[in-house]
Amino acid sequence: MTQEIRPLLAKVEHAYHIVGKKWVNLIIHVLMEGPKRFSELHTIIPDLSKRMLNERLKELEGCGLLSRTVIPDRPVRTEYSLTQKGQELGAALCHVEDWAVKWL
């Protein structure tokens, strides 16, 4: 293996590590439609526990794939939306969704 391909493989492996986690792809899919509150995400993906949803949202925020916005209305609301980085990943995942519809 050449020295040039090792950094590329490390990045690809890291990307698969992120998207390979359960629920990540569905969360990104839902957020491709636009910003959502925690309760909306939980309603749309009901099999996803609140604890796991919270954990995945923190991970995706830490990776720079989504942003968390606190809206100071009464009551205070928090919305989650994809960053540009997250939008681009979502666009790439759309190809997987197309494949799934066709072949699964």
Side-chain angles (χ1 to χ4, degrees):
M1 188 176 330
T2 67
Q3 293 291 77
E4 298 162 358
I5 199 164
R6 286 184 187 183
L8 173 64
L9 289 179
K11 288 182 178 188
V12 170
E13 182 180 13
H14 186 67
Y16 280 119
H17 177 74
I18 292 168
V19 299
K21 290 186 175 183
K22 190 168 185 176
W23 305 112
V24 165
N25 296 319
L26 284 177
I27 293 168
I28 291 172
H29 174 81
V30 170
L31 290 175
M32 286 291 287
E33 298 171 3
K36 300 280 185 279
R37 295 188 323 270
F38 184 93
S39 60
E40 291 175 303
L41 288 166
H42 188 257
T43 300
I44 294 168
I45 313 172
D47 292 337
L48 174 55
S49 72
K50 290 180 179 181
R51 183 189 66 78
M52 183 58 67
L53 176 57
N54 189 50
E55 185 177 313
R56 290 296 181 252
L57 290 173
K58 285 181 181 178
E59 290 171 353
L60 292 171
E61 185 179 11
C63 292
L65 295 171
L66 67 82
S67 62
R68 180 178 177 269
T69 304
V70 177
I71 301 166
D73 288 345
R74 294 225 192 263
V76 173
R77 296 179 305 147
T78 303
E79 283 189 341
Y80 297 90
S81 59
L82 294 175
T83 61
Q84 180 179 349
K85 184 177 175 180
Q87 287 283 343
E88 289 183 21
L89 176 58
L93 292 175
C94 284
H95 295 292
V96 176
E97 292 170 21
D98 293 342
W99 177 86
V101 168
K102 182 176 181 178
W103 293 102
L104 300 180

